[in-house]
Amino acid sequence: MAFLKKNGLSGVHVPHRKENTEELPAVRMPVPAKVYISMQQHIGAPCKPLVKKGDSVKVGQLIGTSDAFVSAPVHSSVSGTVTDMIEIINVNSARAVCVVIETDGLQTVDESVRPPQVHDAARFIAAIRDSGLVGLGGAGFPTFIKLNPKNIDQVDTLVVNGAECEPYITSDYRTMMDHTDDILEGIELLRKYLTLPHVYIGIEKNKPKAIELMRERTEKIGGIEIVPLDAKYPKGAEKVIAYETTGRMVPEGKLPNDVGLIVSNVTSVAFIAQYLRTGMPLIEKTLTVDGSAVTHPQNVTALIGTTCSDIIDFCGGYRTEPRLLLYGGPMMGSAILSDSYPIIKNNNALLAFAEAGEAQMQETPCIRCGKCIEACPYNLMPAQFEAAYKARDLETLNKLKVSLCMECGCCSYICPARRPLVQTNRLAKALLRAQAKK
């Protein structure tokens, strides 16, 4: 059976490349002329628009919702007028409705925005749902579901994920450095309403200032331990950081709550405090803007729905014509066709590169070196997945447990033959899902 490795040999050493932005606190962008707010900014069912063309909207106003359990409401990030309702194709190839709002520059706050009244766990969970919060580390899973497992009485530990193991990205690091009070307040709220006596904060060792600051601020608070993690990708993966911080192994097919854990991104924790204090839902996101094609790399706080082109312009425009644009980091991020795409809730980086680099190295036949297996945190066998996928051998794909792949990209990164292993894994999982529907 595949399992998370215990010997510390899993993962890969990747260049950090965080020096351009790690010491730059986030700068808030001006309100753009238009925003394009997608109704699909989360894992689960898309929202249905609650506004139509010609409607006036205000900041924080609910403009999209769904009756589905796995979903998260969407709010307007600006005040202005709805000028269009268009369909876009997300980076995951799914179609989504997008509300186009022409801003008035006033940023008038909606009357519904006020601090929620929270007195118990049920109202706390309801408030988190109303806030529209999703996992801000990149996954986009609705947070209220994660905080409300069926076995909540058996959950005793909170793991705060401050690893930020992807190259280039420093937005979570800036949260730890610049919004420490919000993180600590968010931790106390989670401990209070979910009864979590133990807290571990995992931070990669390439962030010594954050480790020192968090230790200094938590040394007099009982039940919180700062855990320095080896700077080795993918330490920030949910099951990996769960084991690295607590020693608890999340079994195959299980979630962290099955072993008594809740794992939450550090910026998500900070937002919880901000929302309960102000009542302003999730309408903005801090992201790292970097890459060889960017004139002035920096951390930027942008309103959700702001186009990538507006963000790049705020950073001085392109130094040179980009050949590769990425939502997120180079390991698990998604390539986008143009900078007309809008920012959504779980964007933590926008990278623009003047060259494609190693991505253009020529693919050669597999040499059976086994490096992909050695690098995989779950002991999976990507080369065998590739062969089974090409043969459409569903039985072997299931037997080798391709569905366990978290698409971290370690196999593709380490492969000397430059084979697109993680992409093939993704296609293989899609093949199994399509067969299951039949």
Side-chain angles (χ1 to χ4, degrees), residues 106-119:
L106 301 176
Q107 288 301 87
T108 305
V109 177
D110 190 67
E111 295 78 7
S112 64
V113 176
R114 53 184 179 272
Q117 299 300 308
V118 176
H119 306 292

Side-chain angles (χ1 to χ4, degrees), residues 170-190:
T170 61
S171 52
D172 281 348
Y173 173 71
R174 292 317 314 176
T175 297
M176 290 185 280
M177 299 303 295
D178 304 328
H179 300 283
T180 317
D181 288 343
D182 289 333
I183 296 170
L184 297 180
E185 185 179 345
I187 287 172
E188 289 309 308
L189 288 166
L190 288 163

Side-chain angles (χ1 to χ4, degrees), residues 117-227:
Q117 299 300 308
V118 176
H119 306 292
D120 55 27
R123 188 65 191 97
F124 177 70
I125 297 299
I128 299 304
R129 187 192 189 284
D130 292 343
S131 75
L133 179 61
V134 301
L136 300 182
F141 188 76
T143 301
F144 80 96
I145 299 176
K146 178 182 287 190
L147 301 184
N148 190 33
K150 294 180 179 179
N151 67 331
I152 187 62
D153 292 340
Q154 299 171 5
V155 177
D156 62 3
T157 299
L158 170 67
V159 175
V160 180
N161 189 345
E164 199 166 50
C165 54
E166 281 257 18
Y168 292 97
I169 306 177
T170 61
S171 52
D172 281 348
Y173 173 71
R174 292 317 314 176
T175 297
M176 290 185 280
M177 299 303 295
D178 304 328
H179 300 283
T180 317
D181 288 343
D182 289 333
I183 296 170
L184 297 180
E185 185 179 345
I187 287 172
E188 289 309 308
L189 288 166
L190 288 163
R191 296 179 79 179
K192 175 181 178 181
Y193 290 111
L194 304 184
T195 315
L196 304 173
H198 311 297
V199 179
Y200 296 89
I201 305 176
I203 308 172
E204 273 198 340
K205 292 177 182 177
N206 64 347
K207 305 170 185 64
K209 293 182 180 179
I211 292 172
E212 180 182 1
L213 176 61
M214 297 304 292
R215 275 180 171 164
E216 179 184 324
R217 295 296 305 276
T218 60
E219 63 180 354
K220 295 182 180 179
I221 304 175
I224 300 180
E225 181 179 342
I226 310 302
V227 183

